[in-house]
Amino acid sequence: MTGRWAWAVLGCMALATVGCSSDGDKKFGGFKEQTFNYGGEERRYAVYAPSNYDPKKAYPAVLFMHGLFEKGNDGKAPTKVGIGPAIKEHPERFDAIVVFAQTSENWQARGQADLAVATLDDAAKRFNIDPRRVVATGLSNGGAGVWLAGAAHPGRFAALMPLCGFAEYDAVRKLASSRTPVWAFHNNFDFIVLPGGTKKMVEKINRDGGDAKMTIYNGVGHNCWDDTYGDKKVIQWMFAQRR
């Protein structure tokens, strides 16, 4: 759950320019910090828009849910690990709006999956997001959050892409019945979150009539996100999904 220091520095530089109004968001791309009220509390999050963002064009969107080490309410940490560095390395692959939700707890805590979706809803007020082309993805604890958000909001997402996440077996029935496409990822030798949970989630969803597949890398350690988000074909798959 640790990122590359170089990307961390770049992330801070990218977030130095903060868009405070919806008009500013529509004129400028890049990474920006936003705030909104959730349950009486001011929450911060980051959102990425392409440099040539056109408010008249409806864009596919990604809801990204971070790992435990990126929790908080600074609106910045979630951009430093996972899909954020992949965007900075290959922005040409991301002609989309990417929403970096952030929790101060963990995504498995009560109400936190709803916080992630509320963050997406706020971003949709500021940017032109195609509601038929929204994919939820996340890593580690955020991978579990993807299972939970998909089950709590069936039919909301065009696809779910959990990475090295904890299993959420209680979510299987709703995930299967929604028929939302799932592509899960894990390292075979992940000793922090064992890959067996991902394998069982995919098996159970398919057994109950759902639509799930998985990629298990022959890798050691928890970090499967650099390989996943760095894979051009995976990104293309995400943006090809529609509900």
Side-chain angles (χ1 to χ4, degrees), residues 141-222:
N141 180 254
V146 170
W147 296 127
L148 294 170
H153 300 270
R156 177 66 187 269
F157 299 105
L160 304 175
M161 210 171 82
L163 280 61
C164 54
F166 298 92
E168 290 291 341
Y169 299 125
D170 289 343
V172 166
R173 182 176 58 82
K174 288 184 178 180
L175 292 170
S177 63
S178 72
R179 294 287 300 169
T180 303
V182 172
W183 192 356
F185 296 81
H186 222 116
N187 278 340
N188 198 38
F189 301 100
D190 183 341
F191 302 109
I192 295 177
V193 179
L194 299 181
T198 290
K199 295 176 182 178
K200 289 181 180 178
M201 285 292 295
V202 169
E203 291 170 2
K204 288 176 179 290
I205 290 170
N206 287 332
R207 185 183 63 197
D208 288 358
D211 178 12
K213 65 179 181 178
M214 63 184 169
T215 293
I216 306 296
Y217 300 110
N218 190 32
V220 177
H222 195 42

Side-chain angles (χ1 to χ4, degrees), residues 224-235:
C224 71
W225 50 85
D226 286 341
D227 285 336
T228 302
Y229 296 131
D231 188 332
K232 182 178 180 179
K233 292 182 179 180
V234 172
I235 304 306

